[in-house]
Amino acid sequence: MTAPVATVLLVFGRGVTTIGEQFVLTPASAARVDAAIDYVHTHRDAFAAARAPLVVFTGGWAEASRGRRSRRKGPARAT
């Protein structure tokens, strides 16, 4: 009997910070993204056959827990 494959993933992170004027993922969040991508690639047949496969990335401002605010002015823009 093979182990079941999860086709709904929730990837937790606190992984957005800034470098200069750009929003970037922290190294830890980038590693979680890479791990999720690797998992989906490893189980691509299960994801293709699943009725509603889903990967949700959740997170936020990495430095907010330390009381820091974004140095960036204005709304976030996708880059």
Side-chain angles (χ1 to χ4, degrees), residues 2-72:
T2 60
V5 174
T7 57
V8 176
L9 305 178
L10 179 57
V11 182
F12 291 99
R14 273 189 4 209
V16 178
T17 191
T18 56
I19 295 178
E21 291 293 312
Q22 300 245 326
F23 287 103
V24 297
L25 293 176
T26 62
S29 284
R32 285 190 280 281
V33 169
D34 291 341
I37 291 168
D38 290 345
Y39 182 87
V40 171
H41 280 285
T42 298
H43 302 289
R44 69 175 58 86
D45 292 339
F47 274 82
R51 199 172 108 205
L54 179 66
V55 180
V56 176
F57 294 92
T58 180
W61 182 245
E63 296 158 339
S65 65
R66 295 191 301 255
R68 292 190 53 195
R69 300 182 82 186
S70 172
R71 295 179 294 267
R72 193 177 164 90

